[in-house]
């Protein structure tokens, strides 16, 4: 009997890469049946590239600032990604909008994590916006990527209850702790073939999900 092929995962980052680290750690611990085949960053100084190199993973800067035309950057990034021949592309704090051609080429095979309970608060500054709106809860969502920003079908959410006197840094810290749980979990579900995208529906074990899987922060 031949072993199932391990999922080839490419990760796109722009910054510190704490989510990348959580994925690297889960794979190293044997909790994820994946091979991280490369980490690409649009910012050559992103600390996440060092995290990749430290883990023996190919780190590939594609410096946005070295391109005069946006289209040339987009093409270079798409080429680098294609070189890695990924089964799954994971956006982990990648801060640029990918062109629809790239996104559509990986439909059902590209994930993002966005720090809100989508469809609430697509875009930036989600923590401040959730607090200003007087929300009772906030969180983070892993979703399939579609060309429209932060709008693709959601797979899993981590939800925290907003406390009295909650501050933005405190809320961010608790939500990010949840990201390090749910991102590896979502990737694991895909690696196991349990989660798929069928049209616009996320399917779990062959059945459409009515709503994303929700993991609540545990008190203490
Ligand atoms: C994460 O909090 C994620 O929600 C957002 O960007 C942040 C990236 O952080 N998309 P890191 O680079 O993984 O530390």
């Amino acid at each position: 009997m031949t072993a199932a092929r391990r999922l080839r995962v490419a990760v796109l980052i722009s910054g510190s890469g704490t989510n990348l680290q959580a994925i690297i750690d889960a794979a190293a611990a044997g909790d994820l049946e994946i091979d991280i085949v490369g980490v690409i960053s649009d910012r050559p100084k992103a600390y996440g590239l060092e995290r990749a190199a430290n883990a023996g993973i190919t780190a590939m800067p594609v410096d946005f600032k070295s391109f005069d035309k946006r289209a040339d950057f987009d093409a270079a990034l798409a080429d680098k990604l294609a070189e890695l021949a990924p089964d799954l592309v994971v956006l982990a704090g990648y801060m640029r909008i990918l062109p629809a051609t790239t996104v559509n080429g990986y439909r059902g095979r590209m994930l993002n994590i966005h720090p809100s309970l989508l469809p609430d608060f697509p875009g930036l500054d989600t923590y401040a916006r959730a607090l200003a709106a007087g929300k009772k809860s906030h969180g983070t969502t892993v979703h399939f990527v579609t060309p429209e920003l932060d709008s693709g079908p959601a797979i899993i959410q981590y939800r925290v209850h907003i406390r009295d006197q909650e501050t933005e840094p405190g809320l961010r810290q608790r939500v990010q702790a949840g990201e390090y749980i749910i991102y590896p979990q979502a990737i694991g579900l895909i690696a196991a073939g349990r989660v798929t995208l069928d049209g616009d529906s996320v399917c779990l074990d062959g059945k459409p999900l009515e709503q994303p899987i929700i993991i609540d922060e545990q008190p203490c």
Side-chain angles (χ1 to χ4, degrees):
M1 195 164 76
T2 49
R5 192 168 73 80
R6 289 161 70 87
L7 203 73
R8 294 174 62 83
V9 175
V11 185
L12 265 59
I13 60 160
S14 297
S16 80
T18 58
N19 277 280
L20 166 67
Q21 190 67 57
I23 297 163
I24 291 172
D25 291 348
D31 296 338
L32 275 182
E33 293 290 317
I34 62 169
D35 290 323
I36 305 172
V37 291
V39 173
I40 300 176
S41 173
D42 59 326
R43 294 183 186 150
K45 292 195 175 144
Y47 182 61
L49 287 177
E50 272 186 53
R51 293 181 191 272
N54 290 340
I57 297 165
T58 307
M60 299 168 143
V62 182
D63 185 0
F64 180 78
K65 291 203 174 132
S66 70
F67 293 85
D68 289 336
K69 290 195 199 128
R70 175 66 195 244
D72 291 345
F73 166 77
D74 288 340
L77 188 95
D79 284 351
K80 276 272 178 275
L81 202 48
E83 269 175 40
L84 295 173
D87 300 310
L88 181 69
V89 179
V90 168
L91 309 185
Y94 182 69
M95 297 305 286
R96 288 187 204 282
I97 296 173
L98 291 164
T101 45
T102 304
V103 171
N104 289 334
Y106 294 97
R107 188 173 173 87
R109 301 191 296 128
M110 184 181 275
L111 302 181
N112 183 41
I113 190 157
H114 177 76
S116 78
L117 297 172
L118 291 173
D120 284 354
F121 308 119
L124 298 174
D125 297 326
T126 63
Y127 298 100
R129 287 157 67 204
L131 290 172
K135 288 280 182 182
K136 296 264 180 284
S137 57
H138 191 54
T140 188
T141 304
V142 178
H143 64 94
F144 283 108
V145 177
T146 54
E148 202 185 332
L149 185 70
D150 301 330
S151 299
I155 301 167
I156 185 166
Q157 296 186 315
Y158 183 86
R159 183 167 61 189
V160 310
H161 175 72
I162 294 184
R163 299 170 178 162
D164 292 344
Q165 315 298 323
E166 184 85 65
T167 63
E168 199 183 317
L171 182 58
R172 180 190 303 271
Q173 192 183 34
R174 287 193 294 132
V175 168
Q176 283 183 335
E179 296 194 323
Y180 311 145
I181 298 169
I182 66 166
Y183 219 174
Q185 240 174 343
I187 293 166
L189 287 168
I190 288 177
R194 296 186 58 199
V195 161
T196 52
L197 183 65
D198 183 10
D200 290 328
S201 297
V202 175
C203 293
L204 174 64
D205 297 331
K207 294 191 196 104
L209 274 183
E210 298 296 323
Q211 58 163 44
I213 302 163
I214 294 180
I215 310 286
D216 280 307
E217 179 189 43
Q218 296 303 306
C220 315

